[in-house]
Amino acid sequence: QTVGAGRVQVRAARRGERLWLEVRDTGPGFPPAEALREGIGLANVRARLTCLYGADARFARGNAPEGGAVVTVE
């Protein structure tokens, strides 16, 4: 758990015909895979991407080497 101010960074870029989004924070990051329960927000994003773009959608989440969580959507 992080106490005090945190930081959220949102980056976006066009890659050919695709939109690339990255959201990262300075929090504790995601728990180990075996302990991870995907929350409503991430589950909704994943489901909507699949519904709209099928196999063409990309969604990844993980921890940054320097700490914090990173989510990438394409």
Side-chain angles (χ1 to χ4, degrees):
Q1 181 173 342
T2 302
V3 177
R7 184 176 185 168
V8 175
Q9 180 182 41
V10 178
R11 300 185 330 168
R14 186 175 175 172
R15 294 188 173 171
E17 294 297 313
R18 300 174 73 92
L19 173 64
W20 173 85
L21 296 171
E22 180 185 78
V23 179
R24 40 175 78 226
D25 69 24
T26 57
F30 291 105
E34 62 274 3
L36 182 64
R37 274 188 25 230
E38 193 166 83
I40 293 170
L42 292 178
N44 280 344
V45 169
R46 187 185 304 278
R48 288 174 188 228
L49 285 170
T50 300
C51 182
L52 290 168
Y53 303 105
D56 206 29
R58 304 282 183 264
F59 178 89
R61 59 154 178 77
N63 293 322
E66 66 277 5
V70 180
V71 175
T72 305
V73 176
E74 193 172 342

